[in-house]
Amino acid sequence: MPEPTRPESDPVPRGVRVAAAWSWRLLLIVAAVYLVAQALAAVPIVTIPFVVALLLTAVLGPVQRRLHRGGHVPHSLAAFLALLLGIAVIGAIGTFVALQISANAPRMSEQFTHFLDDASRWLREGPLHLSDSQVAKYFQELSDTISKNQGTLVTGAITTLSTLSHVIAGGLLLLLSTFFLLRDGEVIWRWVLGLLPMGSRRRIDQVGRVGWHTLGGYMRGVTIIATLHATTIYVVLHVLDVPMALALSVLIFVGSFIPLIGMTVTGIFCIMVSLIEHGPAAALVVAITIVVLVQLEAHLLQPLIMSRNVEVHPLGVALAVLAGTSVAGVAGALFAVPIVAFANATLRAVHLPLPPTEEEREEQARAAAGQLPLEGYPE
């Protein structure tokens, strides 16, 4: 049919009218998303633990299913054992890092003193040729800066103690949410679908399952990448005889769950320890290693490991991390890429054909067996 032409009295072109129609709809969608985000941000003690529980469930879900189906462990017990395994791993990582830092603190303090002496000597005898009074002035300014910020540090410690009850409450909510999501995730999802109109349930079910599959793939992929980063850093630090090599590699593993920023921050800590312990040469080697790992993650590991489940360009990852950090700090950096990956997968799944219902599968099976005429049957 020929495209209808606009009346001569209508001064607005059809393209402008279509763009305007899309614009106000997009504005309504953005406003709705903003209001939901504001409501969630108003209760971070609930939002953050629940989102972390979703990420943990994506990682521990395969463990729970393997215990239940492969090991014939009761459903609730399998969920509890999977959660217990996750708690044990996270607790072991935190305890090990704390013990290593505590054990090496005296040595690092002594090495830091030697580093300051060497730096002072280099400033006097190196190419700068600073006088003793100038060096003393710079070190005095550094000491004054630290002294001025002691009050801020004490205030931060008091604030941390005052929020200890919130941390405990959030931790309990995290554990409970993870357990119930592992045990009753399918029941909860069917309950959510039951709240929706009948005609949209199949489509929302398909979109949600595709997004959840992508989220699980992302979490497993980032775990593999974090393991590769930690192993590489450990080998380099061990060869350079840097103290706390294993503890620093564990920090790299944890930081790698925040793409780009986490690896950079924990990497700077590794560089500083190497600089204090063995000087600029060792720090340069560690810095080059970290830069190479970041580049490998962006151009090789991300496309190779996550291409099957997560189709987010490295530029999208960088923009998501920076936007999440500016909006919600560390929590935003941690959640930004999983949210983008989930949103990307769900939007793409909207255009996929719906899977056949149970009745349609039965009819297809009967048609394939010759019990129904194939003429006129949809392929």
Side-chain angles (χ1 to χ4, degrees), residues 116 135-150:
L116 291 180
V135 173
K137 176 184 177 181
Y138 292 143
F139 277 96
Q140 184 62 40
E141 290 177 355
L142 177 62
S143 177
D144 293 342
T145 301
I146 296 175
S147 300
K148 290 178 181 178
N149 288 300
Q150 285 181 352

Side-chain angles (χ1 to χ4, degrees), residues 40 92 103-104 108 147-148 160 164 188 193 215 232 246 260 265 321 333 363:
L40 295 177
N104 288 275
M108 292 301 300
S147 300
K148 290 178 181 178
T160 302
L164 183 61
I188 295 172
L193 290 176
L215 184 62
T232 305
L246 189 56
L260 303 180
V265 172
V321 171
E363 291 182 1

Side-chain angles (χ1 to χ4, degrees), residues 95-107:
T95 302
F96 175 77
V97 172
L99 291 177
Q100 286 290 304
I101 293 176
S102 176
N104 288 275
R107 176 184 175 182

Side-chain angles (χ1 to χ4, degrees), residues 163-370:
T163 59
L164 183 61
S165 59
H166 290 175
V167 173
I168 294 175
L172 292 176
L173 177 60
L174 169 62
L175 295 177
L176 287 174
S177 299
T178 306
F179 172 74
F180 285 118
L181 287 172
L182 286 171
R183 192 190 73 172
D184 302 325
E186 188 68 27
V187 176
I188 295 172
W189 178 241
R190 287 200 298 267
W191 173 78
V192 172
L193 290 176
L195 301 176
L196 303 174
M198 181 69 69
S200 62
R201 291 179 186 176
R202 288 182 61 199
R203 175 63 67 184
I204 298 298
D205 183 42
Q206 181 189 37
V207 169
R209 292 183 186 277
V210 170
W212 180 253
H213 176 76
T214 300
L215 184 62
Y218 169 80
M219 292 304 299
R220 290 187 290 272
V222 78
T223 302
I224 295 173
I225 293 174
T227 303
L228 294 176
H229 286 171
T231 303
T232 305
I233 290 295
Y234 172 75
V235 171
V236 173
L237 295 178
H238 182 73
V239 171
L240 295 174
D241 195 25
V242 176
M244 303 187 300
L246 189 56
L248 292 174
S249 64
V250 171
L251 287 179
I252 289 289
F253 175 82
V254 175
S256 296
F257 281 86
I258 303 177
L260 303 180
I261 291 181
M263 179 72 176
T264 302
V265 172
T266 52
I268 290 174
F269 189 70
C270 295
I271 294 171
M272 293 301 298
V273 173
S274 303
L275 178 64
I276 294 172
E277 185 68 21
H278 294 299
L284 181 61
V285 171
V286 176
I288 293 174
T289 303
I290 291 171
V291 171
V292 171
L293 286 176
V294 171
Q295 294 299 315
L296 285 177
E297 177 183 355
H299 297 95
L300 179 63
L301 298 179
Q302 287 274 358
L304 182 64
I305 295 176
M306 296 189 178
S307 59
R308 295 181 179 179
N309 296 313
V310 183
E311 298 180 1
V312 180
H313 193 274
L315 178 60
V317 172
L319 294 177
V321 171
L322 293 176
T325 304
S326 63
V327 172
V330 176
L334 176 62
F335 301 148
V337 179
I339 291 174
V340 170
F342 181 86
N344 178 62
T346 53
L347 291 175
R348 293 168 66 91
V350 170
H351 305 288
L352 295 176
L354 287 173
T357 62
E358 188 67 30
E359 294 79 6
E360 291 173 346
R361 283 194 293 267
E362 291 178 358
E363 291 182 1
Q364 290 177 357
R366 291 169 58 191

Side-chain angles (χ1 to χ4, degrees), residues 23-210:
S23 297
W24 71 260
R25 288 176 172 85
L26 289 176
L27 287 175
L28 286 179
I29 294 173
V30 170
V33 171
Y34 175 78
L35 291 176
V36 171
Q38 289 295 107
L40 295 177
V43 284
I45 193 175
V46 175
T47 304
I48 294 178
F50 186 74
V51 175
V52 174
L54 287 174
L55 299 180
L56 286 177
T57 303
V59 175
L60 299 176
V63 178
Q64 189 268 343
R65 289 191 294 270
R66 185 175 293 256
L67 289 173
H68 178 57
R69 298 172 184 175
H72 303 289
V73 179
H75 191 64
S76 297
L77 181 59
F80 177 76
L81 292 177
L83 176 60
L84 194 63
L85 176 63
I87 295 173
V89 171
I90 295 174
I93 290 175
T95 302
F96 175 77
V97 172
L99 291 177
Q100 286 290 304
I101 293 176
S102 176
N104 288 275
R107 176 184 175 182
M108 292 301 300
S109 177
E110 182 180 354
Q111 291 294 331
F112 184 67
T113 302
H114 293 327
F115 171 76
L116 291 180
D117 293 338
D118 294 338
S120 175
R121 188 181 306 109
W122 181 84
L123 290 174
R124 291 193 303 268
E125 302 175 0
L128 297 179
H129 295 290
L130 299 179
S131 64
D132 292 342
S133 60
Q134 288 176 315
V135 173
K137 176 184 177 181
Y138 292 143
F139 277 96
Q140 184 62 40
E141 290 177 355
L142 177 62
S143 177
D144 293 342
T145 301
I146 296 175
S147 300
K148 290 178 181 178
N149 288 300
Q150 285 181 352
T152 304
L153 296 176
V154 172
T155 303
I158 295 175
T159 304
T160 302
L161 291 175
S162 66
T163 59
L164 183 61
S165 59
H166 290 175
V167 173
I168 294 175
L172 292 176
L173 177 60
L174 169 62
L175 295 177
L176 287 174
S177 299
T178 306
F179 172 74
F180 285 118
L181 287 172
L182 286 171
R183 192 190 73 172
D184 302 325
E186 188 68 27
V187 176
I188 295 172
W189 178 241
R190 287 200 298 267
W191 173 78
V192 172
L193 290 176
L195 301 176
L196 303 174
M198 181 69 69
S200 62
R201 291 179 186 176
R202 288 182 61 199
R203 175 63 67 184
I204 298 298
D205 183 42
Q206 181 189 37
V207 169
R209 292 183 186 277
V210 170

